[in-house]
Amino acid sequence: MKVWAIANQKGGVGKTTTTVNLAGLLAISGNPTLIIDLDPQGSLTSYMGYNPDIIEKSAYQLFQGRVGNPASFMLETGISNLDLLPASSALATLDRQLGAQLGKGLVIKNFLDSIRENYSHVLIDCPPVVGMLLVNAIAASDTLILPVQTEYLALKGLERMVNTIQMIERSRKREIPYLVVPTMFDQRTRASMDAIRQLQEFYSSHLWNGVVPVDTLFRDASRLGVPLTLWNTRARGSEAYARLLRSLLATENAQRTAMMQEARSNAV
Ligand SMILES: Nc1ncnc2c1ncn2[C@@H]1O[C@H](COP(=O)(O)OP(=O)(O)O)[C@@H](O)[C@H]1O
Ligand SMILES: [Mg+2]
């Protein structure tokens, strides 16, 4: 099982869109996939057709320590191979309740450890605030995907996000690989071109070598409650996410091969 958290402290940069579209592609190619909504606003939950205000079992109960049967948290999405662990509005109260409690940073990781055999991929849609939920998502993830809107001041939000990651890396004593994904790219605008140039200058080693273009079909797909990547596979936006997924999976395969080689050479 591989866990990818989709994070950025800024709202409206394409986190939920990235989660939905990558997950749709994974599921359709036969990978049992789980999407987790850790944003108290519940956009991902709504996208999948559920109302976060009336959800009974959500990520919130995990933090209350009321786990029981993990399968009872999962909701169907209408897409085969794709399950949803929903958000509920109660998530918004967690930081106040648990703020002072230590040891709550691994709630999501521990839960995922208990369902490791059930999914090949888990994608976590993160809230746009630094707090308990974001820390949990980062601590649970193998790779972070950071969507960045290609506009003025794009780098400001990203800098803060990377600082947060480094803080968690220090306390976990483990490196957390991250990939910056430029979104809503419009090559006709100066702001988009400038943002790409700046990302190349400051984040080249973490930057995906493609872009997700502006595509109004994303909004239409979200109104219909389906991933654009499944609804219109030829859309420019869909092709971009297909390319992003291929590159994420290629990196994963390369890591696996390297690990196997290391294990073999240690055995000799
Ligand atoms: N590449 C894109 N082109 C055009 N609109 C997009 C694109 N990506 C996302 N959107 C739209 O922008 C809005 C914010 O995206 P969303 O994924 O909800 O951001 P976040 O989860 O970071 O708040 C949504 O209405 C979504 O449909
Ligand atoms: Mg969102």
Side-chain angles (χ1 to χ4, degrees):
M1 185 174 83
K2 286 290 172 195
V3 184
W4 301 343
I6 295 82
N8 189 320
Q9 278 149 262
K10 220 161 161 263
V13 297
K15 289 185 291 297
T16 302
T17 304
T18 300
T19 306
V20 164
N21 283 287
L22 289 177
L25 287 171
L26 281 165
I28 199 83
S29 27
N31 303 290
T33 302
L34 173 66
I35 44 180
I36 301 181
D37 193 353
L38 280 192
D39 186 348
Q41 292 195 356
S43 316
L44 177 64
T45 302
S46 308
Y47 197 124
M48 290 298 146
Y50 295 94
N51 180 350
D53 293 330
I54 55 169
I55 290 281
E56 279 180 21
K57 262 191 135 176
S58 76
Y60 179 74
Q61 274 74 23
L62 296 180
F63 286 90
Q64 305 292 62
R66 298 205 294 272
V67 180
N69 176 12
S72 66
F73 282 84
M74 310 307 180
L75 297 177
E76 289 179 5
T77 60
I79 297 165
S80 59
N81 292 318
L82 186 62
D83 287 350
L84 167 70
L85 199 174
S88 63
S89 343
L91 278 176
T93 64
L94 274 183
D95 271 308
R96 210 164 352 123
Q97 290 175 27
L98 304 173
Q101 286 187 38
L102 293 171
K104 285 287 181 185
L106 295 177
V107 170
I108 296 295
K109 184 182 187 309
N110 292 340
F111 176 75
L112 292 179
D113 282 343
S114 76
I115 54 167
R116 207 149 261 288
E117 305 304 317
N118 302 6
Y119 298 97
S120 77
H121 288 84
V122 177
L123 275 63
I124 307 176
D125 189 13
C126 295
V129 255
V130 183
M132 182 65 67
L133 293 165
L134 183 63
V135 167
N136 261 270
I138 295 177
S141 65
D142 297 296
T143 298
L144 285 171
I145 299 172
L146 310 182
V148 174
Q149 188 176 350
T150 46
E151 47 141 31
Y152 291 113
L153 300 180
L155 257 60
K156 267 251 134 331
L158 182 58
E159 215 172 281
R160 247 180 292 146
M161 188 64 228
V162 170
N163 286 340
T164 306
I165 297 170
Q166 288 168 346
M167 202 180 69
I168 297 171
E169 282 182 328
R170 277 196 295 275
S171 80
R172 296 250 82 82
K173 298 187 174 54
R174 138 181 113 87
E175 201 184 323
I176 306 166
Y178 66 90
L179 185 68
V180 175
V181 175
T183 61
M184 303 182 209
F185 178 74
D186 183 348
Q187 61 181 13
R188 294 164 308 181
T189 68
R190 173 116 191 256
S192 268
M193 299 304 286
D194 284 352
I196 289 290
R197 254 194 302 274
Q198 290 187 334
L199 288 171
Q200 282 165 343
E201 184 174 344
F202 295 104
Y203 292 92
S204 61
S205 59
H206 290 278
L207 183 64
W208 177 45
N209 64 9
V211 292
V212 178
V214 169
D215 189 337
T216 54
L217 290 175
F218 281 116
R219 217 153 284 162
D220 300 335
S222 91
R223 221 168 290 133
L224 292 170
V226 290
L228 179 61
T229 45
L230 301 190
W231 175 50
N232 184 338
T233 53
R234 308 293 295 275
R236 279 155 20 104
S238 296
E239 288 180 351
Y241 277 112
R243 223 174 306 133
L244 173 60
L245 180 61
R246 279 198 296 276
S247 107
L248 286 162
L249 293 177
T251 306
E252 225 170 71
N253 280 335
Q255 284 164 350
R256 197 172 308 131
T257 311
M259 262 166 57
M260 273 158 52
Q261 274 166 355
E262 197 186 312
R264 226 175 282 136
S265 67
N266 286 345
V268 171

